[in-house]
Every structure is written in structure tokens, then in C-alpha cells.
Amino acid sequence: MAFAVPNLKDGVTLVSMVAVAAAISIAVGRLRKQALLAERQAGIESLRNTMLSALSHDLRTPLAALVSASTALTQDGVESRIQPQLVRMVASEAYRLNRIVVALFDLTRMQGKALTQGHPLQSIDELIGAALTRLEPQLAGRQVRAEVPEEAPLISCDPILIEQVLVNLVENAVRHAPSSPIEVTAWGRGGEMFIEVADRGPGIPHGDEDRVFQKHYRARSSVGHDGLGLGLTICRAIVTAHGGWIMMRNREGGGAKVIVRLPLRQDVFDGGSP
Amino acid sequence: VTEAASILVIDDEPHARALLQMTLGQEGYCCLRASTGLEGLRAAEASAPHLVILDLGLPDLNGVEVTRRIRERSAVPIIVVSASGQEKDKISALDVGANDYVTKPFSAGEFLARVRVALRPFAAVAEGTPQTGTSTFGDLSIDFDARRVARGGRLVRLTPTEYKLLCVLIGAVGRVLTHQQILRQVWGPRHASEMNYLRVYMKRLRLKVEDEPMRPRYLLNELGVGYRFQSPD
């Protein structure tokens, strides 16, 4: 080791200098880690702020529809022919409003929380099961394959938020890949949990792989426009806040897949590949 | 219940209260109303309703506190109504004795189904009460005397812990049990925080009892709260 030590008087000085150097390197390491954490926190912060303003803005649309539809209903002489139409509008706009409010609450849950710590361990099959149950009406008649190896590890996460990620991903597949089967798989490997949601739809246009996570991104193939256009952005925010990572790719043989990677707690052992 | 069951609705929001009264009234229930926690406590004592619907977001008293105080004096079933962001209160209310919950916004059908389950006289509640005879739910049958479980006529081999877990959940059929309540009843009070046990055993039990363990029909997961045994009939 080329280590020039000027005015070195004895071994004790060398030892103490080595100790100082070690202490400095530990401190530098800690600072670097803190900087990384701060950077991640700042990233989540700005992502959250962007979504917050977008969602608050979005609140106005269903609210306006609700006000006009419901006032029309209370007026005398409203044509009986359009009454059921107005009632349906009230119900669907109310649901839309609720989706926005749920998304806003998700953002609140993310606030300043260390999401990988302090949560009870969750089993990924339960989270997938809960998401599929919630989506049952949209999945009616659709072929869905869900597979998790028996020895898959438990993950430490906010169950409500990770279920929301799964709901958004499966909903996204339903919307963009009509009549395609949907596959949801999860497995543990190398200290991480991998979750994959895949379809056999049209896939994503070349070059859009990262843009899909940007707010209000809408694919050309998108069927209907009931989505908030924020589903995948919210997924990215939640996964990032858990110290994880998300990406979308085209599949061999057609279709798209989203892969989520979440860090496992150190005391949790790895479990099988799919 | 032969006479019209009386249901006390404790909610500070006049519209929500009116809507619940309308929904319950249409089904022939007799509805009592209170707009604060204290008023609700007085009404619960004075009129002895068959069921209490309690909103967790009251202005004067915390819903968990209201639940606790009602439970000190009465075993009346309580359904708590919670909004997003009140998960902690919801679980605490269940832990101190509420019987079930609904999350706003809910459909009238979902709400009335919960009401019907809550009004059903309690079956053998697992804690202490021995279950006897045979019970059948869909293609699942449990012979409590022989401690034997069969699915579609075929014997299902359960370990003693798996069997106990199933019995605890069946003892509360249709109602949610919190993780803590299940852990305490199956593994004992010292293991009330050992969530891993519960996850692992629930997974094994589902593999043996469900056709599609990931889309269970019987052993339903109530995310972040606990589990509910659902009878398919």
C-alpha cells in the first residue's frame, strides 16, 4: 500500500492515524448513506407533491358532474327518460371521486414514513388475493393466473399501499389488454421480492418504457377514459417509498409486463423461484 | 328476531344518519338515532337496541372509547363505520369488542349483509365454548365431535393447530376477527404479536381447504385487520 506518512515518529502515531482514517471512512460512508436516503426522500417528496396537485385538480371534474346531475334531478319537470341516466351518472362520478380520495389517502400514508420498517410481515399471496378479490367485477370472464411458490418469503410493507399497487397494475392490464389472460406471479430471490403482472395485450410503444410511469401518460391503446392516468405513477411512488424499484417491459411473444422489486427484511430468508 | 329489530345509529353527520335510517327502514328495522358519542351511550343504555351502528369519527368521544364503554355494560353487537385513514381506530374498536366494520363508502347491499350477520344469534363462539355436532359450509364439513374435516366428501388432514385455527374462525362465521384475537385464541395471549405464525398457518390451511388458495372462498383476508370465515351459502 502506497501510504506516505510525513514526520512519523513511532508506531503509536501510525496506529492512531489508521484509526482516524478508519473513523473518517466510516463517517464518509454514513454521510453517503444519509445523502442517498435524503435524495430518495426528496424524490418521493417531489413525486408526492406533483401527484397531490394533480389529484386535487382532478377532484373538480366529478364534483362538477355530481352537482349538475343531482340539481337536474331535483328540478321539477326533468324528463323521466333521462332520469335513470342522471342517477347512473351520480353513482359513477361518486365512485370516481372516491378513487381520487383513496389515492390522496395513499399519499398521506406515504408521508415521512420509513415504509420498510415497523410493519408486520405480510404474505404476498394474501396481498395478491386481496387485490384480485377487489377487482372481481372487472375480472369477470377473464383468465387470471396467480402463482406464488409455497416457500415465498414474507415481506415487510404497508399492506394497504402494496395491495393498491397490485390493484393498479392488474387494472392497468385489464384496461390495456382487453380479453388477454393476466398473470400475476411473485417470488423471492437474493434478498428481494419480485412481483410480476403480465398480459398478452399490444405491449408498450418502443421508447415509452419509462414514460408510462409519468403522470397522465395514456397509451394509445387505452380503452375508455375512466382511469385517472395516475395509477402507474402512484405505483412508482409507493414502490420507491418502500425502497424498491418498478419497471415495464414488452414480453417475448407479445404483451407487456410490469416487474416490481421490493427489498426483504434481513431476517427473512429467501424462497423459491417461479 | 321476530319483532322488528331496533338498531341504534350513532353518527354526527345528518345526511349519513338519514341515509342509514332510510336503508334500514326499508328492510323493516326500527331505527334509533344519536348524533354524539355521549348521546349514543345514553341511548344504548336507555333503549337496549338489538344492534349499534357506530361511526368512528364522532366530534365528542373517540369511537374506540364509545365501543369500550358500551361493552362495559352490554353485549349488544356493534358495527363500526370507518373512513379511509381510520384503520388504527377500526382495529382498536374491534379489539375492544366491536363485532364488525364497514368502510365508507359502502353499498346498501354490503351494509345490510353485515347487519343481518350481526343480528344473528351467536353461534358457539370459539373462546371456551365447545363446538359440537357437524357444520356444513358449501362443500366443507366439520365434525366437531370426531375433530374431522372433509371437503367434497374427502377427508382433509389438518394438524391440531390448523384445526384450531379453522374452528376459531368458524366460531365467528361471517364476522371479522382481528389478527390479535385469532393469535390469542389459537396460540395464547403471549403470542398475540406473532403475526408470522398466523400467516404461515393460514397459508397452509388455505392450501388444504380452498380450491384456489389465492382466491379463497371461505378464509377471507381483511387487509391489515384480520380474517373472516365466509359461508358460501
Side-chain angles (χ1 to χ4, degrees), chain A residues 169-183:
Chain A
L169 294 181
V170 174
E171 254 184 344
N172 189 66
V174 168
R175 200 173 306 132
H176 295 289
S179 73
S180 141
I182 294 168
E183 290 162 47

Side-chain angles (χ1 to χ4, degrees), chain A residues 95 98 102 105 109 120-123 125-130 132 136 139 144 146-152 154 159-160 163, chain B residues 83-87 104-107 179 195-196 198-200 202-204 206-207 212-216 220-221 223-224 227:
Chain A
Y95 274 116
N98 185 50
V102 166
F105 266 106
R109 285 180 80 91
L121 293 169
Q122 308 289 335
S123 98
D125 15 334
E126 288 202 343
L127 296 175
I128 294 174
L132 295 180
E136 215 139 72
L139 292 173
V144 181
E147 215 174 285
V148 177
E150 212 177 309
E151 63 282 14
L154 298 171
I160 307 239
E163 188 227 16
Chain B
S84 319
Q86 289 181 322
E87 280 81 15
K104 286 193 265 193
F106 46 82
S107 69
H179 296 130
M195 192 78 95
N196 309 2
L198 185 51
R199 299 263 180 246
V200 170
M202 185 56 76
K203 188 166 174 170
R204 287 191 202 157
R206 281 204 180 119
L207 282 170
E212 279 185 271
M214 208 118 53
R215 300 170 87 174
L220 306 189
N221 178 24
L223 207 63
Y227 296 94

Side-chain angles (χ1 to χ4, degrees), chain A residues 206-253:
Chain A
H206 183 66
D208 275 9
E209 288 88 347
D210 292 319
R211 286 187 47 222
V212 292
F213 294 104
Q214 284 167 13
K215 77 178 167 104
H216 296 317
Y217 173 85
R218 256 188 230 284
R220 270 155 283 172
S221 64
S222 179
V223 177
H225 285 275
D226 58 333
L228 299 174
L230 281 172
L232 292 179
T233 316
I234 289 169
C235 289
R236 188 177 63 172
I238 294 173
V239 171
T240 313
H242 278 84
W245 174 93
I246 188 168
M247 68 174 209
M248 189 185 268
R249 293 288 181 269
N250 281 318
R251 291 173 86 189
E252 254 176 58

Side-chain angles (χ1 to χ4, degrees), chain B residues 31 36 44 48 51 66-67 69 77 102 134 137 150 152 156 159 171 214 218 223 226:
Chain B
C31 200
T36 65
L51 170 68
V66 177
T67 308
R69 291 204 204 168
V102 280
T134 303
F137 310 94
V156 179
T159 66
M214 208 118 53
Y218 301 106
L223 207 63

Side-chain angles (χ1 to χ4, degrees), chain A residues 1-209:
Chain A
M1 182 163 55
F3 199 77
V5 186
N7 306 324
L8 181 64
K9 286 193 187 125
D10 50 34
V12 177
T13 318
L14 178 65
V15 169
S16 59
M17 285 190 72
V18 169
V20 168
I24 289 174
S25 98
I26 289 169
V28 167
R30 195 180 298 140
L31 277 174
R32 198 172 292 150
K33 213 170 176 180
Q34 275 171 2
L36 261 173
L37 273 175
E39 198 181 313
R40 204 178 93 195
Q41 199 56 44
I44 297 166
E45 204 72 27
S46 93
L47 197 55
R48 199 172 54 224
N49 288 338
T50 321
M51 283 196 293
L52 200 61
S53 64
L55 285 169
S56 311
H57 181 84
D58 282 353
L59 279 170
R60 285 181 219 166
T61 322
L63 212 49
L66 274 173
V67 169
S68 49
S70 55
T71 44
L73 276 168
T74 52
Q75 265 162 15
D76 290 336
V78 55
E79 274 186 69
S80 58
R81 192 169 46 85
I82 64 163
Q83 259 186 20
Q85 233 172 306
L86 288 171
V87 171
R88 268 198 301 275
M89 189 194 242
V90 168
S92 76
E93 291 303 309
Y95 274 116
R96 186 175 151 92
L97 201 57
N98 185 50
R99 285 174 67 165
I100 299 174
V101 172
V102 166
L104 283 169
F105 266 106
D106 286 347
L107 294 186
T108 328
R109 285 180 80 91
M110 277 184 252
Q111 200 147 24
K113 250 200 216 168
L115 285 173
T116 47
Q117 282 149 23
H119 280 289
L121 293 169
Q122 308 289 335
S123 98
I124 186 66
D125 15 334
E126 288 202 343
L127 296 175
I128 294 174
L132 295 180
T133 309
R134 215 168 107 192
L135 290 170
E136 215 139 72
Q138 285 112 296
L139 292 173
R142 177 83 70 137
Q143 199 187 325
V144 181
R145 187 176 71 89
E147 215 174 285
V148 177
E150 212 177 309
E151 63 282 14
L154 298 171
I155 48 170
S156 168
C157 65
D158 183 318
I160 307 239
L161 289 178
I162 294 301
E163 188 227 16
Q164 190 60 51
V165 168
L166 291 162
V167 165
N168 289 1
L169 294 181
V170 174
E171 254 184 344
N172 189 66
V174 168
R175 200 173 306 132
H176 295 289
S179 73
S180 141
I182 294 168
E183 290 162 47
V184 186
T185 44
W187 65 95
R189 191 169 62 210
E192 283 179 305
M193 173 69 79
F194 289 73
I195 307 164
E196 190 180 293
V197 178
D199 63 54
R200 287 289 178 199
I204 30 169
H206 183 66
D208 275 9
E209 288 88 347

